[in-house]
Amino acid sequence: MIDSDVFDFVERCRKHIATGPLLSDLLDTVRNLGFEHLILSGVPLGGQKLAPMVELNGWPAGWFERYVEAEHAAVDGVCIYSAKTLKPFLWAEVPAKWSDTEASRRVAGEATEFGILSGFAVPMLSVHHWQSVLSFASSQKACSLSPRQQVQLVTMAVYAGMSIQALAHVDSEFDSVLTEREKEVLLWAAAGKTMSETSQILGMTERTVKWHAMQAREAFGVGTTTQAVVEAVRRRLIHP
């Protein structure tokens, strides 16, 4: 791949108005580097489910369904490490403490059934999730990428992520994800108020406050009110 291929992709990113064409374009471009599949998603944390966080799904037919059904994200070394670093990495570079567990090795073994043997991951910040990752997958036993090729992949990944965020901002229903009461409850939680204190401030029962907090957690697919607060801040729904 030459640099002009990357710049051409970046230019096309600005013109895509839907995720489908963007995915196809990115897949066609990275095939020049030996990658046949990719996925862009938020990195699940604290019991979050992967499926609602996926923004570009270019995985082989059947593998995504198995990965989600088996909840592989919780034990997959690549996924775990993607939440712990912002440095792009080859899958083979995941530290052994996460990649060499029995569960992680099982995930890698199952992936080979779908022609996925190696890959390159680009973690990145996201306004929609705690953190996102664009993971490129190859049927080659080992990825062989020069430093320049890695930079090319990172550049395309970042621009693809930016394009997805721009599309989501235009089409999203973020403003309706939370009710005004749910935003108020999270805002006071962000200020360090207890459920009891919030109930007095808002003039409602503590049980009602807890119900609004639960609704906010469910809206974001997170397990704690603190996580819901962080997600609401990241989506710019509240401003503590």
Side-chain angles (χ1 to χ4, degrees), residues 46-78:
Q48 288 179 303
K49 301 298 183 181
L50 174 67
M53 306 177 77
V54 175
E55 295 173 310
L56 288 178
N57 186 1
W59 271 358
W63 176 231
F64 178 74
E65 289 77 8
R66 181 187 295 191
Y67 194 95
V68 169
E69 182 178 358
E71 299 186 346
H72 280 335
V75 297
D76 179 10
V78 173

Side-chain angles (χ1 to χ4, degrees), residues 11-217:
E11 185 63 31
R12 293 193 299 272
C13 273
R14 302 174 184 177
K15 301 176 183 178
H16 288 306
I17 59 174
T19 58
L22 175 59
L23 172 61
S24 298
D25 191 354
L26 183 54
L27 278 171
D28 287 341
T29 306
V30 299
R31 281 193 182 97
N32 294 325
L33 293 175
F35 295 101
E36 302 97 340
H37 308 289
L38 64 84
I39 188 167
L40 170 62
S41 75
V43 181
L45 294 173
Q48 288 179 303
K49 301 298 183 181
L50 174 67
M53 306 177 77
V54 175
E55 295 173 310
L56 288 178
N57 186 1
W59 271 358
W63 176 231
F64 178 74
E65 289 77 8
R66 181 187 295 191
Y67 194 95
V68 169
E69 182 178 358
E71 299 186 346
H72 280 335
V75 297
D76 179 10
V78 173
C79 188
I80 294 172
Y81 191 50
S82 295
K84 300 179 180 297
T85 183
L86 279 173
K87 181 181 178 181
F89 60 91
L90 294 166
W91 293 0
E93 296 173 337
V94 175
K97 64 184 294 186
W98 296 300
S99 65
D100 201 29
T101 65
E102 180 180 351
S104 185
R105 292 196 304 271
R106 183 175 66 251
V107 174
E110 290 183 16
T112 63
E113 301 174 24
F114 296 86
I116 294 178
L117 280 74
S118 62
F120 182 73
V122 183
M124 61 188 84
L125 297 176
S126 169
V127 298
H128 303 150
H129 312 292
W130 293 68
Q131 188 154 303
S132 293
V133 62
L134 202 163
S135 202
F136 300 96
S138 173
S139 60
Q140 300 175 13
K141 188 173 182 180
C143 292
S144 179
L145 297 171
S146 68
R148 191 176 194 86
Q149 289 172 327
Q150 292 191 22
V151 170
Q152 290 174 336
L153 282 171
V154 171
T155 301
M156 290 187 289
V158 169
Y159 271 91
M162 290 169 56
S163 297
I164 289 294
Q165 291 187 22
L167 289 173
H169 179 72
V170 172
D171 299 329
S172 71
E173 298 178 352
F174 280 176
D175 289 341
S176 62
V177 166
L178 299 179
T179 66
E180 289 305 312
R181 277 302 192 190
E182 289 162 4
K183 292 178 184 178
E184 289 178 327
V185 167
L186 292 185
L187 189 58
W188 286 112
K193 301 300 182 181
T194 65
M195 295 292 179
S196 176
E197 291 170 332
T198 299
S199 70
Q200 296 176 25
I201 293 170
L202 298 180
M204 60 179 69
T205 67
E206 185 174 345
R207 180 177 179 180
T208 301
V209 171
K210 291 180 178 178
W211 184 83
H212 284 304
M214 179 191 70
Q215 291 294 105
R217 294 194 299 270

